[in-house]
Amino acid sequence: MNSNKRYILNIVVGQNSTINIPIVTADTALVIRIESNGDALVIYLGKRFQNDADYASIPNFQLNGDYTGLYSSAYTPSGTRSLLEPAIQVVHADGNPSLDLKYVHHQQNTTNQSSDITLTTIYLKDPAYQFEVTLNYKAYYNDNIIEQWTTIQHSETGVVRLEKYCSANLYLASANNYYLTHFHGDWSQEMHPAEVQLTAGIKILDTKVGTRTNTFQASSFFISFNQPFDHNDDDQGEILAGSLAWSGNYKIEFEIDPLGNLRLLAGINPYASEYYLTAGEEFITPSFLFTYSSRGLGTTSRNWHRWARKYRIPMGQNDRWIYFNPWSATGFNYNETLLTALMRDAKTLGVDLFVVDDGWFGNKYPRDNDRQGLGDWQENVKKLPHGIDYLTNVTETLGIKFGIWLEPEMVNPRSELYENHLEWVIRVPNRPEYYMRNQLVLDLSNPVVQEFVYDTLDGMLTKHSMVSYIKWDCNSVIYNAYSTSIRHQSHLYIDYVRALYNIMGRLRTKYPTVPMMLCSAGGGRVDYGVLQYFTEFSLSDNSDGLERVFMQWSYSFFYPSIATCDGVASQGQQPLKFRTDVAMMGKLDYGLLVSKLNPTDLLFSQQAIQTYKRLKDTIWHGDLFRLVSPYGMGNDVASLIYVNQTQNHAVWFSYLVNNRYRAGTSRPIRVKGIDPNKKYRLQEVNIYPGTDNSTIINAINLSGDYLMTVGFDPMVNAQRSSVIIEFQLAN
Ligand code: DGJ
């Protein structure tokens, strides 16, 4: 396509005139200014002004000593006059490495999807080359989320090499200091927050692991303006929270420029990923999503939750099934007889769904351990002599659903798949293989492999009509990145993720209502790119109740509880009630062996599931208010409340997170999010059978105003290490 024909090449802006393009939500404005020389600059990101005309009064940063006029570029080119980190770096078809981007035109439309959404597109072009960049900004008005991505294309004679291609390039200039909170970890240690003050230079969050992208560093973060984030105050301060919707290598850069302002660049990691773009081809970056609030992290979290339920996570406003998955108790050691017994136990427990995890497949190389069988997706005839349908018949008879585990992107070297299709495997042919969990990653950049992965899932769902839930696992990173089929090796990391999304998208289209759980050795792959296709995700393989309080807390900064699978399992020193109460603040699931429960534990668990079914609508679809943070200095407890949309019902969770002598609550905790003008009846729920009635909180009526001004003491202590209080309207 010849871009000359599409756009008026002369810059539309007249001499000495500028255009301000406000991209607004209910509370936030991002303002792009087109300078008279055609440069697109970010002149404002923050609280929305009452009057859009006032954005014109914001001064230019060049006046303060920007030598280039580009420090605040909305998409910083490289190789011309910019001196700072670029958003885009290219080598043109003629070998010239310079790029300049000038405004051509822009448009703002309310999309068909909903009048809540406005799409702003700003078209930029290199005056010297047929090279174009489109900046796309989708503003979700009511939920205060802005989604940004970039489209790159050219009509040069030959191939252009893209060396860097960010999704977003923002500029923040309103604060004196910026404090970044990011989340690091490893297997079983997901989402540990760390805060740094951003100082002159660049702080980078990135990953190069290829698949389990969150393994070491999450692609979600938040920035507190002017002061360190105060974990004891969720409602104050300016916060910008961001998240890159990409399940592959990413790079997020925070550069404090010579003016002391913050440049934020986010996108696919250019590491080993030069992209060769042919004429007419579009390179569309993943989305960078962000939300801003001048009212603290509590507000930005609720923005994410509401938006994700409405626009991103499949069936985010619907129901979920509580599952029982015995994996953490059985591992690979099961057969049809044991599974049948466990299914009966699941029924006894009262869950909705039974999940058969890893180990059900492979014949030449039976999947009896993690060293073999991965990729051979046929029922193991010894373990399941009558196949999957026999099992689904059992669950059908019991009146529960059946779900199954797959890890379709992977292969063990000891497998028939590997023996027959070595060329499907990501590996460097002339180097030794290197494994994570004894497995390798399939080369999804190869269309034949894509079909194999799609068919694995599709075959499972079509051949076994009563399979109604999928757990999709991903346990290995990519080592020795090399494809035997791809033209440019440097496309592999990108094409892998695109192919993955393509497969998942096809499956979602064909099976729009099948719940699918995203797992990656726990929470190794959690982002809003892949969550377009999955109804829920695994937080972690670590099900220790105390660890989960902290993890769930961190996840709650970005992800809604309806999507967070929280299994009650046997890990951890805490009592069963504590572990159950913790799981109930997310999506309650089970991994306990019923046969190992004493009668009281079983009764408690059965009652807990029934209680949860009554409370779940508020937990899943209500607003979250964090009251006392486990990360807050000197806090013995963690406490949070979910309030439904009508403010008629709330569920309040509190947990002891410190074992010191006399640790616990000693004074009331102020409640948030309820209606000050309503009167609530507070009743402790999920009580362990046999608990002395005088030690529980029983039917206390208090006004919303009182609860939010004075508060209420849930009386958490070593004897009451977790407490759930239900709020209902008092008569
Ligand atoms: C890792 C997952 O996180 C576990 O839940 C389980 O599915 C195993 N993989 C199975 O290999």
Side-chain angles (χ1 to χ4, degrees):
M1 185 184 320
N2 186 333
S3 60
N4 279 326
K5 290 192 181 130
R6 282 178 49 212
Y7 306 137
I8 305 158
L9 269 182
N10 293 330
I11 294 155
V12 180
V13 197
Q15 281 262 301
N16 301 323
S17 63
T18 58
I19 303 173
N20 292 312
I21 307 172
I23 295 151
V24 297
T25 67
D27 297 339
T28 307
L30 165 68
V31 185
I32 313 287
R33 175 172 294 163
I34 309 301
E35 289 292 325
S36 53
N37 65 1
D39 289 341
L41 307 179
V42 176
I43 56 151
Y44 182 74
L45 171 52
K47 189 168 188 278
R48 187 183 173 180
F49 292 2
Q50 284 179 8
N51 186 347
D52 281 355
D54 286 348
Y55 298 122
S57 307
I58 296 173
N60 282 358
F61 299 105
Q62 288 98 305
L63 304 176
N64 299 334
D66 172 349
Y67 301 136
T68 66
L70 284 175
Y71 290 3
S72 61
S73 173
Y75 205 67
T76 315
S78 72
T80 45
R81 69 184 199 277
S82 171
L83 300 173
L84 301 179
E85 187 60 31
I88 181 166
Q89 198 176 348
V90 308
V91 177
H92 293 286
D94 65 3
N96 187 315
S98 69
L99 181 69
D100 200 3
L101 291 171
K102 298 292 185 185
Y103 172 86
V104 180
H105 71 104
H106 77 279
Q107 60 200 54
Q108 289 192 296
N109 301 322
T110 300
T111 67
N112 294 333
Q113 201 174 0
S114 146
S115 56
D116 189 33
I117 303 172
T118 303
L119 177 65
T120 303
T121 38
I122 303 176
Y123 299 90
L124 308 173
K125 187 185 174 301
D126 188 330
Y129 283 89
Q130 300 303 328
F131 186 94
E132 301 159 26
V133 166
T134 308
L135 306 180
N136 308 283
Y137 304 85
K138 213 182 221 190
Y140 297 82
Y141 190 86
N142 291 317
D143 302 310
N144 292 302
I145 298 282
I146 297 179
E147 176 175 11
Q148 179 179 357
W149 73 97
T150 302
T151 310
I152 302 166
Q153 61 178 321
H154 71 90
S155 49
E156 298 182 19
T157 312
V159 173
V160 171
R161 196 167 81 229
L162 304 182
E163 302 205 316
K164 191 173 183 190
Y165 29 80
C166 282
S167 301
N169 184 177
L170 298 175
Y171 197 68
L172 295 162
S174 61
N176 291 322
N177 289 300
Y178 299 92
Y179 295 84
L180 168 71
T181 299
H182 59 103
F183 299 84
H184 63 97
D186 204 333
W187 176 73
S188 266
Q189 307 170 59
E190 289 87 346
M191 294 296 276
H192 286 236
E195 185 177 62
V196 284
Q197 180 176 357
L198 296 170
T199 54
I202 303 184
K203 164 80 182 171
I204 295 173
L205 306 180
D206 82 332
T207 191
K208 304 179 186 77
V209 300
T211 46
R212 287 174 48 177
T213 327
N214 269 25
T215 300
F216 301 135
Q217 185 84 252
S219 54
S220 301
F221 64 88
F222 66 84
I223 294 163
S224 171
F225 293 32
N226 289 314
Q227 59 203 8
F229 175 66
D230 180 356
H231 281 279
N232 285 325
D233 191 349
D234 234 27
D235 302 310
Q236 306 281 333
E238 286 186 80
I239 298 284
L240 179 92
S243 192
L244 189 75
W246 183 245
S247 313
N249 293 344
Y250 67 84
K251 187 172 192 179
I252 306 175
E253 294 161 288
F254 304 86
E255 180 174 27
I256 298 291
D257 74 9
L259 304 180
N261 296 328
L262 173 58
R263 307 179 69 245
L264 196 165
L265 301 119
I268 295 176
N269 197 335
Y271 162 75
S273 296
E274 309 86 54
Y275 204 91
Y276 295 86
L277 194 69
T278 53
E281 187 188 353
E282 275 190 337
F283 184 93
I284 303 175
T285 70
S287 292
F288 175 68
L289 295 147
F290 62 94
T291 177
Y292 162 88
S293 176
S294 55
R295 285 172 283 122
L297 191 69
T299 303
T300 57
S301 305
R302 287 184 290 280
N303 289 345
W304 286 121
H305 300 171
R306 289 191 186 140
W307 168 83
R309 288 193 300 255
K310 225 185 290 174
Y311 294 113
R312 186 56 55 130
I313 296 174
M315 299 181 285
Q317 306 193 88
N318 302 12
D319 207 7
R320 293 288 186 273
W321 291 328
I322 302 171
Y323 68 69
F324 173 64
N325 177 342
W327 164 260
S328 62
T330 65
F332 299 95
N333 303 320
Y334 59 77
N335 57 25
E336 188 178 274
T337 314
L338 179 61
L339 287 180
T340 310
L342 292 170
M343 286 168 176
R344 294 210 182 87
D345 289 349
K347 178 69 181 174
T348 306
L349 208 48
V351 298
D352 306 308
L353 165 77
F354 184 87
V355 180
V356 173
D357 211 284
D358 195 355
W360 57 267
F361 50 89
N363 285 301
K364 182 173 177 190
Y365 300 105
R367 181 72 172 170
D368 293 334
N369 53 57
D370 64 17
R371 294 187 297 281
Q372 61 185 41
L374 205 53
D376 300 345
W377 301 111
Q378 301 82 33
E379 293 104 311
N380 177 278
V381 291
K382 277 204 189 127
K383 283 182 180 172
L384 306 184
H386 304 99
I388 289 172
D389 290 342
Y390 174 87
L391 297 176
T392 61
N393 279 332
V394 177
T395 48
E396 171 90 342
T397 312
L398 291 168
I400 57 175
K401 307 278 180 198
F402 181 91
I404 199 153
W405 178 97
L406 287 153
E407 195 178 3
E409 300 156 73
M410 304 283 163
V411 62
N412 282 129
R414 272 176 71 78
S415 69
E416 292 186 73
L417 180 66
Y418 181 93
E419 285 175 352
N420 297 333
H421 292 291
L422 188 57
E423 76 285 4
W424 287 8
V425 180
I426 293 179
R427 60 195 285 282
V428 177
N430 57 347
R431 292 189 188 279
E433 291 175 354
Y434 194 80
Y435 310 120
M436 178 172 276
R437 210 191 185 211
N438 311 304
Q439 66 193 58
L440 292 164
V441 183
L442 293 177
D443 177 11
L444 297 195
S445 71
N446 181 343
V448 180
V449 181
Q450 287 172 32
E451 281 317 297
F452 168 78
V453 173
Y454 176 82
D455 289 345
T456 302
L457 270 294
D458 184 46
M460 175 61 71
L461 291 167
T462 47
K463 276 189 225 131
H464 309 289
S465 59
M466 285 185 297
V467 170
S468 40
Y469 180 96
I470 298 288
K471 174 176 175 181
W472 181 313
D473 208 348
C474 165
N475 286 289
S476 178
V477 298
I478 296 178
Y479 296 114
N480 291 317
Y482 188 89
S483 159
T484 52
S485 71
I486 206 166
R487 180 139 177 259
H488 299 288
Q489 290 301 328
S490 62
H491 289 200
L492 179 57
Y493 285 124
I494 298 173
D495 287 0
Y496 184 93
V497 182
R498 287 180 172 169
L500 186 69
Y501 288 171
N502 187 277
I503 297 163
M504 290 168 173
R506 285 169 67 195
L507 290 166
R508 212 4 106 210
T509 307
K510 185 161 177 193
Y511 305 100
T513 57
V514 173
M516 296 197 203
M517 180 221 210
L518 174 67
C519 180
S520 182
R525 176 152 77 182
V526 184
D527 63 80
Y528 277 124
V530 74
L531 282 174
Q532 292 177 81
Y533 311 106
F534 287 83
T535 47
E536 55 219 70
F537 64 88
S538 166
L539 298 186
S540 177
D541 275 356
N542 187 340
S543 56
D544 177 296
L546 188 58
E547 291 296 324
R548 283 284 175 114
V549 172
F550 287 84
M551 274 181 206
Q552 172 83 2
W553 202 269
S554 294
Y555 280 114
S556 82
F557 297 150
F558 308 98
Y559 300 104
S561 62
I562 190 168
T564 55
C565 295
D566 257 327
V568 184
S570 50
Q571 237 178 321
Q573 305 300 315
Q574 311 82 23
L576 178 63
K577 171 169 162 59
F578 184 96
R579 287 178 280 131
T580 308
D581 286 358
V582 171
M584 283 169 101
M585 77 166 143
K587 177 183 163 281
L588 175 67
D589 295 302
Y590 275 85
L592 281 176
L593 281 191
V594 173
S595 56
K596 296 258 167 77
L597 297 178
N598 66 40
T600 324
D601 280 352
L602 176 59
L603 178 64
F604 167 72
S605 302
Q606 289 168 323
Q607 290 174 347
I609 291 169
Q610 294 315 314
T611 304
Y612 187 73
K613 287 186 175 171
R614 186 163 51 74
L615 305 179
K616 66 184 184 180
D617 183 48
T618 297
I619 297 168
W620 292 348
H621 305 117
D623 276 333
L624 167 67
F625 295 83
R626 290 179 294 257
L627 307 177
V628 185
S629 169
Y631 293 112
M633 276 283 280
N635 290 345
D636 288 344
V637 301
S639 185
L640 57 79
I641 189 166
Y642 294 99
V643 183
N644 76 350
Q645 300 302 332
T646 56
Q647 295 172 303
N648 287 347
H649 187 245
V651 190
W652 182 11
F653 297 90
S654 302
Y655 311 99
L656 187 68
V657 294
N658 183 354
N659 288 330
R660 300 292 302 271
Y661 177 62
R662 295 187 71 179
T665 50
S666 51
R667 61 180 65 88
I669 294 173
R670 281 191 190 140
V671 177
K672 292 176 189 166
I674 54 174
D675 184 340
N677 301 314
K678 287 179 178 160
K679 196 154 195 168
Y680 295 95
R681 188 177 185 79
L682 276 58
Q683 175 67 53
E684 187 170 345
V685 295
N686 215 33
I687 293 154
Y688 195 79
T691 306
D692 179 356
N693 204 33
S694 66
T695 64
I696 64 174
I697 294 157
N698 243 328
I700 296 172
N701 287 358
L702 292 167
S703 74
D705 182 37
Y706 176 89
L707 286 162
M708 293 202 287
T709 311
V710 175
F712 185 82
D713 184 353
M715 296 188 297
V716 176
N717 55 48
Q719 287 69 48
R720 290 166 50 81
S721 60
S722 65
V723 175
I724 305 180
I725 299 174
E726 181 179 8
F727 286 35
Q728 282 173 315
L729 280 193
N731 295 324

